[in-house]
Amino acid sequence: MSLLRPRPRRIPLNAAAVLTVLVCLFPVYWMISTAFKPSRDIQSTDPDLFPHTWTLDHFRTAVQADGFGMFWRNSILVTLSSILLALLVAIASAYAVARMRWKGRRQFMLMVFIAQMAPWESLIIPIYIISRDTDMLDRLPTLTLVYFMVTLPFSIVVLRGFIATIPPELEEAAQVDGCTRTGAFRRVALPLLAPGLMATSLFGFITAWNEFAYANFLIIKHQDSRTLPVWLSSFQNTFGTDWGATMAASTLFALPALVVFLLLQRHVTSGFAAGAVKG
Protein backbone atom coordinates (compact mmCIF):
# COMPACT_ATOMS: atom_id res chain seq x y z
CA MET A 1 0.00 0.00 0.00
CA SER A 2 2.91 2.34 0.69
CA LEU A 3 3.83 2.14 -2.98
CA LEU A 4 0.36 3.34 -4.02
CA ARG A 5 0.11 6.38 -1.76
CA PRO A 6 2.38 8.73 -3.72
CA ARG A 7 0.46 8.16 -6.94
CA PRO A 8 -2.37 10.70 -6.29
CA ARG A 9 0.30 13.35 -5.77
CA ARG A 10 1.58 12.76 -9.28
CA ILE A 11 -1.80 13.30 -10.90
CA PRO A 12 -1.39 17.12 -11.16
CA LEU A 13 2.11 16.68 -12.57
CA ASN A 14 0.91 14.15 -15.12
CA ALA A 15 -2.02 16.36 -16.07
CA ALA A 16 0.29 19.35 -16.50
CA ALA A 17 2.64 17.25 -18.65
CA VAL A 18 -0.22 16.06 -20.86
CA LEU A 19 -1.54 19.62 -21.21
CA THR A 20 1.92 20.90 -22.16
CA VAL A 21 2.29 18.20 -24.81
CA LEU A 22 -1.15 18.99 -26.26
CA VAL A 23 -0.43 22.71 -26.39
CA CYS A 24 2.89 22.09 -28.15
CA LEU A 25 1.48 19.57 -30.62
CA PHE A 26 -1.71 21.45 -31.54
CA PRO A 27 0.00 23.94 -33.92
CA VAL A 28 1.71 21.01 -35.64
CA TYR A 29 -1.59 19.18 -35.99
CA TRP A 30 -3.28 22.32 -37.33
CA MET A 31 -0.50 22.78 -39.90
CA ILE A 32 -0.78 19.19 -41.14
CA SER A 33 -4.57 19.13 -41.16
CA THR A 34 -4.70 22.44 -43.04
CA ALA A 35 -2.33 21.03 -45.64
CA PHE A 36 -4.84 18.27 -46.39
CA LYS A 37 -8.00 20.42 -46.29
CA PRO A 38 -9.67 21.65 -49.49
CA SER A 39 -9.41 25.39 -50.03
CA ARG A 40 -13.12 25.93 -49.37
CA ASP A 41 -12.76 24.40 -45.89
CA ILE A 42 -9.67 26.48 -45.09
CA GLN A 43 -11.45 29.72 -45.99
CA SER A 44 -14.62 28.76 -44.15
CA THR A 45 -15.75 31.01 -41.30
CA ASP A 46 -16.51 27.89 -39.26
CA PRO A 47 -13.34 25.74 -39.53
CA ASP A 48 -13.49 22.09 -38.54
CA LEU A 49 -11.03 20.76 -36.01
CA PHE A 50 -11.18 17.36 -37.74
CA PRO A 51 -11.47 17.71 -41.53
CA HIS A 52 -14.10 15.56 -43.23
CA THR A 53 -12.54 15.62 -46.70
CA TRP A 54 -8.89 15.31 -47.65
CA THR A 55 -6.92 16.42 -50.70
CA LEU A 56 -3.34 16.30 -51.97
CA ASP A 57 -3.71 19.31 -54.25
CA HIS A 58 -1.80 21.60 -51.90
CA PHE A 59 1.18 19.23 -51.83
CA ARG A 60 1.21 19.14 -55.62
CA THR A 61 1.21 22.93 -55.70
CA ALA A 62 4.10 23.10 -53.24
CA VAL A 63 6.21 20.48 -55.01
CA GLN A 64 5.61 22.05 -58.43
CA ALA A 65 6.54 25.54 -57.22
CA ASP A 66 9.53 27.17 -58.91
CA GLY A 67 12.80 26.29 -57.22
CA PHE A 68 11.41 23.74 -54.77
CA GLY A 69 13.93 21.04 -55.72
CA MET A 70 16.82 23.52 -55.85
CA PHE A 71 16.06 25.00 -52.43
CA TRP A 72 15.66 21.50 -50.99
CA ARG A 73 19.07 20.57 -52.41
CA ASN A 74 20.64 23.72 -50.96
CA SER A 75 19.31 22.99 -47.48
CA ILE A 76 20.47 19.37 -47.57
CA LEU A 77 23.92 20.35 -48.86
CA VAL A 78 24.49 23.10 -46.30
CA THR A 79 23.14 21.08 -43.38
CA LEU A 80 25.09 17.89 -44.04
CA SER A 81 28.31 19.74 -44.87
CA SER A 82 28.21 21.77 -41.66
CA ILE A 83 27.46 18.67 -39.56
CA LEU A 84 30.31 16.62 -41.04
CA LEU A 85 32.78 19.49 -40.70
CA ALA A 86 31.72 20.16 -37.10
CA LEU A 87 32.02 16.48 -36.16
CA LEU A 88 35.52 16.16 -37.62
CA VAL A 89 36.84 19.23 -35.81
CA ALA A 90 34.91 18.46 -32.60
CA ILE A 91 36.26 14.88 -32.36
CA ALA A 92 39.85 16.06 -32.71
CA SER A 93 39.37 18.94 -30.26
CA ALA A 94 37.48 16.86 -27.69
CA TYR A 95 40.10 14.11 -27.81
CA ALA A 96 42.92 16.62 -27.34
CA VAL A 97 41.20 18.16 -24.32
CA ALA A 98 40.10 14.88 -22.70
CA ARG A 99 43.24 12.78 -23.27
CA MET A 100 46.20 15.14 -23.56
CA ARG A 101 47.78 17.53 -21.10
CA TRP A 102 48.93 20.77 -22.67
CA LYS A 103 49.30 24.37 -21.63
CA GLY A 104 46.17 26.43 -22.18
CA ARG A 105 43.76 23.49 -22.11
CA ARG A 106 41.52 25.06 -19.44
CA GLN A 107 41.56 28.42 -21.18
CA PHE A 108 40.57 26.71 -24.42
CA MET A 109 37.56 25.06 -22.80
CA LEU A 110 36.61 28.36 -21.17
CA MET A 111 36.54 29.99 -24.59
CA VAL A 112 34.43 27.12 -25.93
CA PHE A 113 31.89 27.61 -23.13
CA ILE A 114 31.81 31.36 -23.77
CA ALA A 115 31.21 30.73 -27.48
CA GLN A 116 28.42 28.30 -26.59
CA MET A 117 26.71 30.86 -24.35
CA ALA A 118 26.94 33.73 -26.85
CA PRO A 119 23.57 34.44 -28.54
CA TRP A 120 23.66 33.78 -32.25
CA GLU A 121 21.75 36.96 -33.07
CA SER A 122 24.52 39.13 -31.61
CA LEU A 123 26.95 37.77 -34.20
CA ILE A 124 24.87 38.55 -37.30
CA ILE A 125 26.29 42.02 -37.92
CA PRO A 126 29.98 41.05 -37.37
CA ILE A 127 29.58 38.00 -39.61
CA TYR A 128 27.85 40.10 -42.27
CA ILE A 129 30.69 42.66 -42.24
CA ILE A 130 33.34 39.93 -42.47
CA SER A 131 31.47 38.22 -45.32
CA ARG A 132 31.04 41.50 -47.15
CA ASP A 133 34.71 42.49 -46.83
CA THR A 134 35.89 39.05 -47.98
CA ASP A 135 33.42 38.90 -50.89
CA MET A 136 31.64 35.88 -49.37
CA LEU A 137 28.08 37.18 -49.40
CA ASP A 138 25.37 35.28 -51.27
CA ARG A 139 27.32 32.02 -51.20
CA LEU A 140 26.36 28.67 -49.72
CA PRO A 141 29.89 27.96 -48.35
CA THR A 142 29.52 31.04 -46.15
CA LEU A 143 26.29 29.66 -44.71
CA THR A 144 27.97 26.29 -44.19
CA LEU A 145 30.80 27.91 -42.21
CA VAL A 146 28.31 29.85 -40.09
CA TYR A 147 26.37 26.71 -39.15
CA PHE A 148 29.68 24.95 -38.48
CA MET A 149 30.65 27.76 -36.13
CA VAL A 150 27.29 27.66 -34.34
CA THR A 151 27.26 23.88 -33.72
CA LEU A 152 30.98 23.36 -33.00
CA PRO A 153 31.10 24.51 -29.32
CA PHE A 154 28.20 22.26 -28.32
CA SER A 155 29.75 19.31 -30.15
CA ILE A 156 33.10 19.80 -28.41
CA VAL A 157 31.51 19.98 -24.96
CA VAL A 158 29.40 16.84 -25.44
CA LEU A 159 32.12 14.74 -27.07
CA ARG A 160 34.72 15.83 -24.53
CA GLY A 161 32.59 14.53 -21.67
CA PHE A 162 31.86 11.37 -23.62
CA ILE A 163 35.54 10.63 -24.33
CA ALA A 164 36.33 11.23 -20.66
CA THR A 165 34.04 8.34 -19.71
CA ILE A 166 35.97 5.87 -21.91
CA PRO A 167 38.81 4.23 -19.91
CA PRO A 168 42.17 5.16 -21.48
CA GLU A 169 43.41 1.66 -20.65
CA LEU A 170 41.41 0.35 -23.60
CA GLU A 171 43.42 2.47 -26.03
CA GLU A 172 46.67 1.67 -24.22
CA ALA A 173 45.97 -2.05 -24.60
CA ALA A 174 45.40 -1.56 -28.32
CA GLN A 175 48.70 0.30 -28.60
CA VAL A 176 50.48 -2.56 -26.83
CA ASP A 177 49.06 -4.89 -29.48
CA GLY A 178 50.65 -2.78 -32.20
CA CYS A 179 48.15 -0.03 -33.00
CA THR A 180 49.23 3.56 -33.32
CA ARG A 181 47.55 6.19 -31.16
CA THR A 182 45.34 7.19 -34.06
CA GLY A 183 44.57 3.55 -34.87
CA ALA A 184 43.72 2.79 -31.26
CA PHE A 185 41.29 5.70 -31.16
CA ARG A 186 39.70 4.70 -34.47
CA ARG A 187 39.33 1.01 -33.57
CA VAL A 188 38.49 1.27 -29.85
CA ALA A 189 37.22 4.68 -28.77
CA LEU A 190 35.42 5.85 -31.90
CA PRO A 191 32.83 3.00 -31.93
CA LEU A 192 32.03 3.79 -28.29
CA LEU A 193 31.35 7.41 -29.25
CA ALA A 194 28.38 6.48 -31.45
CA PRO A 195 25.65 7.76 -29.04
CA GLY A 196 27.51 11.04 -28.56
CA LEU A 197 28.03 11.46 -32.28
CA MET A 198 24.35 10.83 -32.94
CA ALA A 199 23.29 13.32 -30.27
CA THR A 200 25.53 16.06 -31.64
CA SER A 201 24.49 15.24 -35.21
CA LEU A 202 20.83 15.59 -34.29
CA PHE A 203 21.45 18.93 -32.61
CA GLY A 204 23.44 20.16 -35.61
CA PHE A 205 20.86 18.95 -38.12
CA ILE A 206 17.90 20.60 -36.40
CA THR A 207 19.86 23.83 -35.87
CA ALA A 208 21.09 24.13 -39.46
CA TRP A 209 17.89 22.84 -41.08
CA ASN A 210 15.57 25.27 -39.27
CA GLU A 211 17.86 28.33 -39.19
CA PHE A 212 16.40 31.40 -40.90
CA ALA A 213 18.11 34.59 -39.71
CA TYR A 214 21.58 33.96 -41.15
CA ALA A 215 20.21 32.36 -44.30
CA ASN A 216 18.03 35.40 -44.94
CA PHE A 217 20.70 37.92 -43.97
CA LEU A 218 23.69 36.47 -45.85
CA ILE A 219 21.83 35.21 -48.94
CA ILE A 220 20.14 38.33 -50.26
CA LYS A 221 20.61 38.75 -54.00
CA HIS A 222 20.97 35.30 -55.52
CA GLN A 223 17.72 33.39 -55.18
CA ASP A 224 19.42 30.22 -56.44
CA SER A 225 21.41 30.07 -53.17
CA ARG A 226 18.44 30.33 -50.84
CA THR A 227 17.47 27.55 -48.45
CA LEU A 228 14.04 26.18 -47.59
CA PRO A 229 13.36 28.44 -44.55
CA VAL A 230 13.96 31.54 -46.68
CA TRP A 231 11.83 30.11 -49.47
CA LEU A 232 8.99 29.48 -47.01
CA SER A 233 9.08 33.10 -45.87
CA SER A 234 8.29 34.23 -49.42
CA PHE A 235 5.88 31.38 -50.16
CA GLN A 236 2.85 33.40 -49.19
CA ASN A 237 3.85 36.22 -51.53
CA THR A 238 4.19 33.72 -54.35
CA PHE A 239 0.82 32.05 -53.81
CA GLY A 240 -1.15 34.97 -52.41
CA THR A 241 -3.68 33.67 -49.88
CA ASP A 242 -3.15 29.99 -50.66
CA TRP A 243 -2.68 28.88 -47.05
CA GLY A 244 -3.15 25.25 -47.99
CA ALA A 245 -0.04 25.29 -50.20
CA THR A 246 1.88 27.18 -47.52
CA MET A 247 1.02 24.59 -44.87
CA ALA A 248 1.80 21.75 -47.28
CA ALA A 249 5.24 23.24 -47.95
CA SER A 250 5.80 23.66 -44.18
CA THR A 251 4.84 20.03 -43.61
CA LEU A 252 7.30 18.84 -46.24
CA PHE A 253 9.95 21.08 -44.70
CA ALA A 254 9.40 19.56 -41.24
CA LEU A 255 9.52 15.93 -42.40
CA PRO A 256 13.34 15.50 -42.64
CA ALA A 257 13.91 16.81 -39.10
CA LEU A 258 11.15 14.54 -37.81
CA VAL A 259 12.58 11.49 -39.57
CA VAL A 260 16.10 12.18 -38.29
CA PHE A 261 14.81 12.65 -34.75
CA LEU A 262 12.82 9.40 -34.83
CA LEU A 263 15.87 7.51 -36.10
CA LEU A 264 18.26 8.93 -33.50
CA GLN A 265 16.00 9.68 -30.52
CA ARG A 266 16.92 6.53 -28.59
CA HIS A 267 20.55 7.64 -28.54
CA VAL A 268 19.93 11.31 -27.80
CA THR A 269 19.23 11.06 -24.08
CA SER A 270 22.15 8.74 -23.39
CA GLY A 271 24.44 10.90 -25.49
CA PHE A 272 23.51 14.14 -23.72
CA ALA A 273 23.73 12.49 -20.29
CA ALA A 274 27.09 10.86 -20.96
CA GLY A 275 28.49 14.09 -22.32
CA ALA A 276 27.75 15.84 -19.04
CA VAL A 277 29.17 13.20 -16.67
CA LYS A 278 32.72 14.50 -16.42
CA GLY A 279 34.13 17.96 -16.76
Side-chain angles (χ1 to χ4, degrees), residues 128-139:
Y128 176 82
I129 294 175
I130 294 174
S131 302
R132 181 198 61 189
D133 295 343
T134 57
D135 195 24
M136 290 293 290
L137 284 177
D138 302 318
R139 298 185 180 181

Side-chain angles (χ1 to χ4, degrees), residues 75-107:
S75 292
I76 290 290
L77 181 63
V78 169
T79 300
L80 295 183
S81 300
S82 61
I83 292 174
L84 292 177
L85 187 60
L87 286 180
L88 290 175
V89 177
I91 290 175
S93 302
Y95 184 84
V97 173
R99 286 285 191 264
M100 302 177 183
R101 297 294 180 265
W102 41 279
K103 186 177 181 180
R105 183 170 61 94
R106 295 182 180 274
Q107 291 78 3

Side-chain angles (χ1 to χ4, degrees), residues 49-85:
L49 185 61
F50 303 99
H52 301 289
T53 56
W54 302 78
T55 181
L56 296 176
D57 293 340
H58 301 310
F59 288 93
R60 297 190 187 97
T61 302
V63 173
Q64 295 173 0
D66 293 338
F68 176 78
M70 178 176 57
F71 298 140
W72 189 279
R73 180 204 61 194
N74 292 343
S75 292
I76 290 290
L77 181 63
V78 169
T79 300
L80 295 183
S81 300
S82 61
I83 292 174
L84 292 177
L85 187 60

